[in-house]
Amino acid sequence: MKKKGLALLMTLLFVSSTLLSACGGKTADKPSGGSDGAGGNEPFEITIRHTQVGEAKKFRLALLNDVVSKTEAAVPGLKIKLDAVDSEVNRKEKLRGEMAAGKPPEVFDVFGSPDAGVFSKEGLMLDLTPILEELGIKDKFSTLDPFTHDGKIYGLPIGISIEGIFYNKEYFSQKGLSVPKSLTELEQIAETIKADGKIPFAQSSKDAWIPLMTTNNLWSYYAGPEVTYGFKTGESKWTDPKVVEGVKKHQEWVEKGYFKKGELGFEYADMRNQIISGEAIMMMDGSWANSVFRDPAQAGDMVDKVGYFNLPPVNAGDPVIVMQDANNGYGFSAAVAEDPRKLQAIKEFIKNMWTDEMQLRGLKEDGVLPAMTMDLAKMNSTSDDPLMQDIFKGVSEIDKSFPAFDALVQADVNTAVSLGIQQVIGGELDATKMLENVQAVQEAANAAEK
C-alpha cells in the first residue's frame, strides 16, 4: 500500500521518503536562536520565492518589498533575495522539483491544500505553531484550515478571496440591465449583450484554472457546495447527474457563443483587456482582480465603471453559494530550524507581514481581503471605492461558501479536470465523457492512497 502512495508522489515530482533521508529535512518543535546566534553579524542570505509577477501584481510586490526591508533592518547581516516565478510554474513545476530534491527555498509561495499537506508529511515544511504562539497571532486568522495538517500549522494565507462576476456598470445602465438574481436572468443578459454585438463573458482558457472558476461555481450550485469534499473519499462521484448538469451548463455557454472564439489561446491578462476595451461586458474572476480595474495605468477610462456581483443561484431566492478561499500563502523550509539566524529571520518576516497594518494596506492598495480577523466596518473604512464596496457587499451576501476544488482533490485529478475542461471548450469532448474520464482518474488516485 505504501509503495503505491510513494509511486504516485514521484509521478507528481513530490518528495519520496528516500530523498528526504538524503537531505535530512526535519520539522522544528520549538523556535530557537536569534540575531545574536551563530555567526554574529556576519552576512547571510535567505530566499523568498514569490509569484508577484506582472503589472497586475505590482501593488502586492510593493508590499512584499516593504516587509523585506523591515525584516532586513531587524536582523543583523540578513540579505533577502527575491525570486519571482509565475504562479502556475511555481506550483506545478519548480516547487515540486525542489521538494523532490529536498531543497526548497527558505520561504516560498505555496497552496495550503493539498500541496502543503504533502510537503509537510514528508518533513520538508517548518511547523509554525510555536512561532505563532510566541508572536501571539495564532488565533487572529479567519481560518488556517488549509495549512493545518495533523494539528500543526505549516503555512500562512496572504489573504482571502471570493469568485464572482465583474461587469461594465456603464453598459448595464445604458441598456437598462440589472444585477441578475438567477442563472436564467444572467443568461437573458448574456443574450442581450450578444445581440448587441458584444461578448457576454470575457474568458481566457490557455491556463485551465481560469475557466474552471466558472465550472467549479456552476457544479457547486447544481450539486451543492459539499459535493466536492466527497470526491476524494468516494462519497460523491464526478459522474453525479447534478455535477454533470453544472459542467453541461458551462459547455452550453461555450456553444451559445457567450465567450470569444479562440479562448484556448488567450492568456489571463487578455481576459481583463476584453473588459477594459469594452469588447466584453462581464467576466468571472477572483476578487483580487479589482486592483486592475482600480488602477488608471491598467484600466484607463474604465476606472469607476466596473462593478461586481456574486454568480447568482440557479433559482432566484435560493442560497447564494460562493467559492471563498484562504489557500494561497507562504510556507517555510524545515531546514531553517537548523540555523538560528535564518529561523530568526523567518520569525521577523512573519512578524512584519501578518499585521493589521499590512492586512489593511493589502486591502486598500491591492484589494486583497484580509486573512486575519477584521471588523467589516474597519474594512469599509479603508476604501470608499465603489468596486470595493461591491465586493464587501458580495461577501456579506454569501449564505454558503466552499474551497476551490483543487484544494480538495489529488494533483492528478486536478490535471484531469484541467485537461477535460479545455477539451470541452475545444469541442473535443462533451461534459458527460469528460467527467467519466475524471472519475476514472479519481478512483485510481483514491485506491493508490489506501
Side-chain angles (χ1 to χ4, degrees):
M1 300 292 193
K2 186 175 180 182
K3 289 181 180 178
K4 290 182 179 179
L6 289 175
L8 177 60
L9 291 178
M10 289 303 294
T11 299
L12 300 173
L13 291 178
F14 284 176
V15 130
S16 70
S17 57
T18 301
L19 287 170
L20 174 63
S21 63
C23 72
K26 62 181 181 180
T27 303
D29 294 321
K30 182 177 168 83
S32 60
S35 60
D36 59 348
N41 293 339
E42 290 298 314
F44 72 104
E45 183 178 273
I46 68 170
T47 296
I48 296 179
R49 163 76 48 68
H50 69 90
T51 59
Q52 315 313 329
V53 179
E55 181 72 8
K57 295 184 179 181
K58 65 180 182 181
F59 298 109
R60 301 182 211 183
L61 180 58
L63 191 149
L64 175 61
N65 280 325
D66 285 352
V67 171
V68 165
S69 296
K70 289 181 180 179
T71 304
E72 287 180 331
V75 183
L78 173 63
K79 175 63 179 176
I80 295 177
K81 175 185 176 183
L82 291 181
D83 179 25
V85 177
D86 174 78
S87 179
E88 286 291 281
V89 173
N90 175 63
R91 185 184 184 193
K92 296 181 178 179
E93 299 175 24
K94 192 157 189 177
L95 186 59
R96 289 180 184 175
E98 291 164 337
M99 287 294 185
K103 295 181 179 180
E106 286 85 1
V107 185
F108 47 86
D109 186 281
V110 68
F111 271 62
S113 176
D115 300 11
V118 175
F119 300 148
S120 62
K121 186 177 180 180
E122 296 296 334
L124 291 166
M125 290 187 69
L126 182 69
D127 174 15
L128 302 179
T129 313
I131 294 177
L132 300 182
E133 290 173 346
E134 179 184 332
L135 296 177
I137 61 173
K138 182 173 178 288
D139 299 321
K140 291 189 176 182
F141 290 84
S142 298
T143 180
L144 289 173
D145 288 350
F147 294 92
T148 302
H149 305 282
D150 295 328
K152 297 180 179 180
I153 301 164
Y154 290 99
L156 296 173
I158 291 299
I160 289 176
S161 62
I162 60 174
E163 291 174 356
I165 296 177
F166 291 85
Y167 72 106
N168 186 325
K169 291 191 300 184
E170 185 176 64
Y171 182 90
F172 266 50
S173 177
Q174 291 172 350
K175 300 297 179 180
L177 303 173
S178 302
V179 171
K181 303 297 183 184
S182 68
L183 284 184
T184 298
E185 290 183 13
L186 179 63
E187 289 175 313
Q188 289 170 347
I189 291 172
E191 290 293 342
T192 298
I193 295 169
K194 184 183 173 185
D196 193 37
K198 301 282 188 179
I199 298 167
F201 296 101
Q203 188 66 276
S204 296
S205 300
K206 187 173 182 179
D207 290 323
W209 68 269
I210 303 169
L212 280 169
M213 286 189 282
T214 296
T215 328
N216 194 174
N217 280 273
L218 284 172
W219 84 56
S220 296
Y221 261 136
Y222 279 94
E226 302 84 10
V227 69
T228 310
Y229 290 92
F231 294 142
K232 193 172 181 179
T233 64
E235 295 174 67
S236 55
K237 295 183 181 298
W238 290 95
T239 51
D240 180 296
K242 290 295 184 181
V243 177
V244 175
E245 191 173 3
V247 180
K248 274 188 175 294
K249 178 57 69 175
H250 190 167
Q251 180 182 356
E252 179 185 322
W253 288 359
V254 172
E255 293 170 346
K256 285 184 174 181
Y258 288 175
F259 308 103
K260 186 176 180 179
K261 289 183 179 180
E263 64 176 278
L264 288 170
F266 300 151
E267 304 277 0
Y268 187 35
D270 296 328
M271 181 168 75
R272 276 94 172 268
N273 288 336
Q274 289 175 33
I275 294 290
I276 292 168
S277 69
E279 184 180 20
I281 304 302
M282 299 183 288
M283 176 187 78
M284 187 75 175
D285 205 345
S287 54
W288 60 82
N290 74 80
S291 62
V292 172
F293 299 120
R294 295 188 298 120
D295 180 15
Q298 298 181 74
D301 293 340
M302 282 302 292
V303 171
D304 294 333
K305 296 179 182 178
V306 176
Y308 175 94
F309 59 84
N310 292 321
L311 182 73
V314 178
N315 301 302
D318 285 352
V320 175
I321 300 170
V322 175
M323 197 297 300
Q324 189 169 13
D325 186 57
N327 200 36
N328 188 233
Y330 285 107
F332 306 84
S333 170
V336 302
E338 300 173 4
D339 187 326
R341 300 181 77 201
K342 287 188 175 182
L343 187 58
Q344 180 65 19
I346 296 305
K347 289 164 63 174
E348 287 293 336
F349 176 77
I350 292 173
K351 179 181 176 181
N352 292 319
M353 175 65 85
W354 283 276
T355 65
D356 283 359
E357 176 190 355
M358 284 300 178
Q359 291 282 295
L360 289 173
R361 181 178 161 189
L363 174 61
K364 182 178 181 179
E365 296 178 13
D366 195 36
V368 176
L369 301 174
M372 303 179 84
T373 304
M374 204 74 61
D375 183 82
L376 185 59
K378 200 171 186 180
M379 289 168 58
N380 282 330
S381 69
T382 65
S383 177
D384 57 3
D385 180 86
L387 178 53
M388 289 307 303
Q389 291 298 317
D390 278 356
I391 292 173
F392 295 154
K393 182 173 182 287
V395 172
S396 70
E397 291 174 348
I398 297 173
D399 294 308
K400 295 181 181 179
S401 63
F402 60 92
F405 81 96
D406 60 349
L408 301 174
V409 301
Q410 300 92 330
D412 54 342
V413 178
N414 179 16
T415 298
V417 176
S418 298
L419 174 62
I421 195 59
Q422 289 176 324
Q423 290 174 318
V424 168
I425 290 169
E428 299 174 46
L429 290 179
D430 66 10
T432 301
K433 180 58 180 174
M434 168 211 164
L435 293 169
E436 288 174 356
N437 293 345
V438 173
Q439 181 59 33
V441 174
Q442 182 73 69
E443 290 172 4
N446 291 354
E449 291 186 347
K450 291 181 179 178

